[in-house]
Amino acid sequence: MPVEIVIEDKRWAAVEFERLCDRAVEAALSNFDLNPSLFTVEILACDDTRIAFLNRDFRGQAKPTNVLSWPSAERAASKDGDAPMLPCVKRDSELGAIAISYDTCACEAVQACKPLADHLLHLVVHATLHLLGYDHQRDQDATLMERIEVRTLGKLGVDNPY
């Protein structure tokens, strides 16, 4: 499996973190006929303190967030609503890194009355799409990304989160 995981916050073990991340990344990549065994994604399972530092250092926002992602290359489409360029296995097999905070994710899951595992699947699918160049800053890009998320989550047995 292409997911390399570092678990800093042991509370993630309660939701089978590694297995769910594998499933989410594999499902996201399979949308594009990308063989998951040929790509690598790094995931840091952390807490709010750690993700707040990362959010400050990389986004200039000194506060916790649910998930962050760092694509290994710029893949975004130049035109709003177009699909990004897919990575090439030969030169682009490392897709990037994701950090996900237990505290914020668990709180959001409780507030939305949904299982933490389902919310984790959603956030990892969402972050993996960011690694593939999808984004939600522009309206048509957001619509495209959400449509792919919903379809992917449906394949994983997770209800539409929107």
Side-chain angles (χ1 to χ4, degrees):
M1 191 39 134
V3 180
E4 297 175 5
I5 294 176
V6 174
I7 297 179
E8 288 185 352
D9 188 319
K10 302 298 182 202
R11 292 176 292 175
W12 279 116
V15 292
E16 299 181 90
F17 187 84
E18 294 179 18
R19 185 182 68 79
L20 292 173
C21 288
D22 284 346
R23 286 185 63 212
V25 170
E26 183 175 321
L29 296 179
S30 296
N31 280 310
F32 311 100
D33 293 326
L34 296 172
N35 182 340
S37 68
L38 301 177
F39 294 93
T40 302
V41 173
E42 298 175 13
I43 300 179
L44 171 65
C46 61
D47 61 14
D48 271 357
T49 301
R50 176 79 154 135
I51 209 161
F53 283 120
L54 295 169
N55 204 15
R56 180 199 66 201
D57 291 350
F58 292 97
R59 298 177 62 218
Q61 298 182 22
K63 62 181 182 181
T65 187
N66 51 13
V67 66
L68 295 170
S69 58
W70 296 269
S72 61
E74 178 58 48
R75 299 180 180 94
S78 59
K79 183 179 171 194
D80 188 11
D82 282 355
M85 291 185 54
L86 291 176
C88 172
V89 174
K90 291 182 180 176
R91 66 177 195 290
D92 207 14
S93 63
E94 295 181 12
L95 297 179
I98 295 168
I100 190 162
S101 169
Y102 182 87
D103 302 295
T104 298
C105 293
C107 183
E108 290 173 343
V110 168
Q111 289 173 347
C113 298
K114 59 181 161 184
L116 177 58
D118 287 0
H119 193 44
L120 173 62
L121 286 167
H122 175 211
L123 293 176
V124 174
V125 166
H126 180 89
T128 302
L129 292 177
H130 277 309
L131 299 183
L132 293 173
Y134 287 87
D135 205 350
H136 43 79
Q137 297 301 312
R138 301 179 297 194
D139 290 343
Q140 293 179 35
D141 288 345
T143 299
L144 177 62
M145 185 173 179
E146 285 182 14
R147 192 174 334 138
I148 296 169
E149 284 180 42
V150 169
R151 182 178 64 227
T152 306
L153 291 170
K155 293 176 185 174
L156 294 170
V158 177
D159 291 338
N160 181 343
Y162 296 106

